[in-house]
Amino acid sequence: PTDIFSLYSSATSFVVEEAVPKYKEEGLSDSDITECLRTLAYHNQLAHRRIFTSKNAVDWLQGKPSLITTWQKMLHHHDSPPLIKVLTAASATGEGGEYQFSHLSFQEYFFLETIRRSSEEGLPDGFKWETIDDKIEFFRDKFNDNITRLGGTIIGEKLFSQKYGSDLSFCKCFSNPDQTLRLCRVMSKPGHTIRKLTITGCSFDKASLELLGHGIGLKASKVETLDLH
């Protein structure tokens, strides 16, 4: 793998492919399982949750009946679904179950993969990114900290594309250096199309400045104007 995101891609694919034979009688494929897990992870991450319930799963999967069927078939097997930890088993009628991804980073990976797979027409349902306030809130949110570590390139390519603005101004919005650091992690990666970047009245630390300097220095960087103070 060339980066940590690719490592997670390989690791999750391996786990799912290893699990497929045990669902032979249920007729589930690796793509069925992966799409189901990706949908659950995206919505749970969006909701800022670690744990999700049987009802949450049905609500999130109901737009695609085949995914509900996949989820139910995995739950009816004597083993837990791949990459999922069963905290409380559901009743015979499928109610009352509680689940979580076996590690939060798997949920974060599938969330990013959903963003990566989004089309040119728009981002996944429920994801807010249209305004500068949406972007500020994303980087302020501690729940997104590892998202920026794991998927800086994807965020840059998909969320800092021409469609979502090449002239961005972050003014007096990051009072904590960790918030600025999340933005600078993304700026340190190739793929974004930002041409003018303004960060003023925000809290910086050495790590933020180093990452930002690295990103601006990349041959692929399109930044023409940088305003920091």
Side-chain angles (χ1 to χ4, degrees):
T2 55
D3 56 30
I4 189 170
F5 184 84
S6 299
L7 178 63
Y8 271 85
S9 178
S10 298
T12 54
S13 294
F14 176 80
V15 172
V16 169
E17 287 167 6
E18 285 286 296
V20 168
K22 72 181 182 182
Y23 299 118
K24 185 176 181 180
E25 292 185 7
E26 288 84 357
L28 297 182
S29 67
D30 56 348
S31 59
D32 295 330
I33 296 169
T34 300
E35 186 178 1
C36 182
L37 295 176
R38 189 168 56 240
T39 303
L40 294 172
Y42 170 75
H43 287 285
N44 209 41
Q45 182 72 21
L46 200 65
H48 290 62
R49 292 175 182 162
R50 184 76 174 89
I51 297 171
F52 62 96
T53 65
S54 300
K55 184 180 185 307
N56 292 146
V58 171
D59 288 345
W60 297 333
L61 300 173
Q62 65 181 352
K64 295 183 178 180
S66 62
L67 294 186
I68 292 183
T69 301
T70 297
W71 176 243
Q72 291 172 338
K73 285 180 176 180
M74 288 195 291
L75 289 181
H76 289 156
H77 199 274
H78 60 83
D79 287 338
S80 297
L83 302 171
I84 294 288
K85 184 184 293 184
V86 178
L87 303 177
T88 304
S91 66
T93 58
E95 300 173 339
E98 290 187 321
Y99 317 92
Q100 67 181 33
F101 279 83
S102 51
H103 195 279
L104 181 58
S105 59
F106 293 133
Q107 175 173 299
E108 293 165 335
Y109 160 75
F110 282 121
F111 174 84
L112 284 163
E113 177 64 2
T114 303
I115 299 291
R116 189 189 71 80
R117 293 166 64 91
S118 60
S119 68
E120 291 295 325
E121 284 70 42
L123 294 169
D125 289 345
F127 188 78
K128 297 180 179 179
W129 194 255
E130 294 296 331
T131 69
I132 189 64
D133 288 339
D134 292 335
K135 297 171 178 65
I136 289 169
E137 187 57 34
F138 179 87
F139 291 109
R140 278 179 174 169
D141 194 339
K142 188 176 181 180
F143 203 70
N144 292 325
D145 191 66
N146 200 48
I147 292 287
T148 62
R149 296 176 189 270
L150 183 59
T153 300
I154 290 166
I155 296 171
E157 291 176 349
K158 284 291 183 178
L159 304 183
F160 285 140
S161 63
Q162 189 73 32
K163 180 176 181 178
Y164 299 106
S166 58
D167 182 349
L168 296 177
S169 180
F170 297 91
C171 299
K172 298 181 180 179
C173 53
F174 300 139
S175 59
N176 186 316
D178 288 344
Q179 298 169 341
T180 314
L181 181 61
R182 291 174 199 130
L183 171 62
C184 291
R185 283 190 191 121
V186 176
M187 293 302 302
S188 72
K189 303 294 184 181
H192 65 79
T193 59
I194 297 174
R195 295 189 179 279
K196 182 178 181 180
L197 177 65
T198 301
I199 308 176
T200 60
C202 296
S203 182
F204 274 93
D205 60 13
K206 183 180 179 181
S208 296
L209 291 170
E210 288 179 348
L211 284 170
L212 188 58
H214 172 77
I216 299 300
L218 291 174
K219 186 177 291 187
S221 176
K222 293 178 171 57
V223 176
E224 298 169 350
T225 304
L226 176 64
D227 183 4
L228 295 179
H229 62 270

